[in-house]
Amino acid sequence: MMKQKLLSLVLLASSFTFAQSWNLTGNSGISSSNNFLGTTDAQPLVLKTNNTEVMSILSNGTVKVGTGDPGGSGEAFFRVYKAENPNLEVASSLGSFQITKSTCDGCWGGMTGDTVLRNKGKTHNIILSMPNNNNDGQYYVGVQDHANGTWVKFFNNAIARFDGKIYAKEVQVKANVWADYVFKKDYKLNSLEEVEKYIQKNGHLPNIPSEEDVLKNGLNIAQMNAKLMEKIEELTLYSIEQNKQIKSLQEENKTLKTQSEDIKELKEQVRQILSTKK
């Protein structure tokens, strides 16, 4: 009987010891309230390789990955640190997407201090997908600093609105119409008198939107440039016609000048004849 009691105590002790251990070959019958990897105080959980800390989980839930991390701003709950060109990568069999911090000019295609997004693999597209259940114009992409911000707002009809000024070295706008129809023979060019009457009545040029329309609906750059070119080409036709009239008047003036000189010469001859008769 004593042996049986001792054997039972040994088995109980061994099972208790097993329950408190964590086997490298796997575990069963565990409970997260009693069995876990971690600390029971405010100290961080630290993982090391080659006796060097490579990952830590702080008591506030912050996860840090990397060696020699000086600590950072304390704003991140997940932080990856590397002294030279850190690189966070999401990859599949088709390629990888990287978020990197350049620490030298030309590294990752950036300059020192730049944050670079790179997509390597089958395609190089980076897409921002923001499903919004067709709530037209209710989502946008914004960029801001502590002083100012701007945003691009997207609509379901494939229209984007940019809130702010755009400065560009070169802008190319695709147009589906241009104003060379002005130079076709069947184009009806209004007379300047007709244009004057239209302006007096409407307060703007024919075929050009009014101030009210522009302030309310904005401008289509491609269409507006075509309209402006229409007016330039019309002015060119007016100038060509005026040039023809000027040349015609110059010829007429030349003829009149010749006739005037002839009359002057005749008058002189008549004067001489009359003077001789006296």
Side-chain angles (χ1 to χ4, degrees):
M1 181 64 68
M2 181 59 71
K3 289 182 178 181
Q4 290 179 348
K5 289 182 178 180
L6 290 173
L7 180 59
S8 298
L9 289 174
V10 171
L11 292 174
L12 180 62
S14 63
S15 63
F16 179 76
T17 302
F18 176 78
Q20 297 301 313
S21 65
W22 194 269
N23 296 320
L24 296 179
T25 56
N27 301 275
S28 62
I30 63 174
S31 170
S32 59
S33 60
N34 298 317
N35 308 106
F36 57 88
L37 288 177
T39 63
T40 57
D41 54 18
Q43 296 301 313
L45 173 63
V46 176
L47 298 181
K48 293 184 177 182
T49 60
N50 196 27
N51 202 34
T52 300
E53 181 179 326
V54 295
M55 179 176 177
S56 62
I57 304 176
L58 308 186
S59 60
N60 63 359
T62 300
V63 178
K64 293 185 176 182
V65 179
T67 60
D69 187 353
S73 64
E75 298 172 342
F77 277 92
F78 183 79
R79 176 178 169 86
V80 177
Y81 176 81
K82 186 172 180 289
E84 297 291 335
N85 297 321
N87 184 7
L88 180 63
E89 184 174 82
V90 178
S92 72
S93 60
L94 300 177
S96 63
F97 173 69
Q98 300 173 339
I99 303 175
T100 66
K101 190 72 174 176
S102 176
T103 57
C104 66
D105 293 348
C107 294
W108 309 111
M111 303 297 286
T112 301
D114 287 347
T115 298
V116 182
L117 305 181
R118 299 204 311 171
N119 187 24
K120 302 171 61 180
K122 185 176 180 180
T123 73
H124 302 284
N125 302 325
I126 298 177
I127 298 173
L128 299 178
S129 178
M130 299 176 288
N132 68 336
N133 299 323
N134 294 322
N135 294 324
D136 201 14
Q138 297 301 310
Y139 63 106
Y140 60 88
V141 174
V143 178
Q144 69 174 26
D145 55 21
H146 287 302
N148 296 292
T150 189
W151 47 259
V152 181
K153 206 164 193 177
F154 299 94
F155 294 80
N156 295 330
N157 55 0
I159 290 178
R161 291 185 177 177
F162 187 88
D163 179 36
K165 292 182 180 179
I166 298 177
Y167 294 90
K169 184 177 180 180
E170 184 175 324
V171 176
Q172 183 173 339
V173 179
K174 185 178 180 181
N176 56 7
V177 65
W178 200 236
D180 287 349
Y181 51 78
V182 172
F183 294 144
K184 292 183 178 180
K185 292 182 179 180
D186 58 349
Y187 181 76
K188 182 183 181 303
L189 181 66
N190 293 328
S191 67
L192 290 177
E193 290 78 8
E194 291 174 324
V195 174
E196 181 183 14
K197 290 179 181 179
Y198 186 94
I199 293 174
Q200 290 175 348
K201 180 180 178 181
N202 300 281
H204 59 89
L205 286 171
N207 210 20
I208 294 293
S210 67
E211 178 183 12
E212 182 181 357
D213 290 337
V214 173
L215 294 178
K216 180 179 179 181
N217 302 313
L219 287 175
N220 182 304
I221 294 177
Q223 292 179 359
M224 192 60 197
N225 280 343
K227 295 300 180 186
L228 293 175
M229 181 56 64
E230 174 188 289
K231 298 308 162 189
I232 292 173
E233 294 186 356
E234 287 180 346
L235 285 173
T236 302
L237 291 178
Y238 290 132
S239 296
I240 291 173
E241 183 61 30
Q242 288 178 346
N243 185 59
K244 289 179 180 179
Q245 293 176 3
I246 289 171
K247 283 188 174 183
S248 177
L249 290 172
Q250 286 175 340
E251 290 297 325
E252 291 180 6
N253 186 55
K254 184 178 180 182
T255 301
L256 290 173
K257 186 176 181 180
T258 301
Q259 291 175 348
S260 177
E261 290 177 352
D262 291 341
I263 292 171
K264 184 178 180 180
E265 184 178 350
L266 287 172
K267 287 175 68 176
E268 179 62 24
Q269 290 175 357
V270 170
R271 187 187 67 79
Q272 291 178 359
I273 293 171
L274 292 175
S275 176
T276 302
K277 287 183 177 181
K278 288 181 179 180

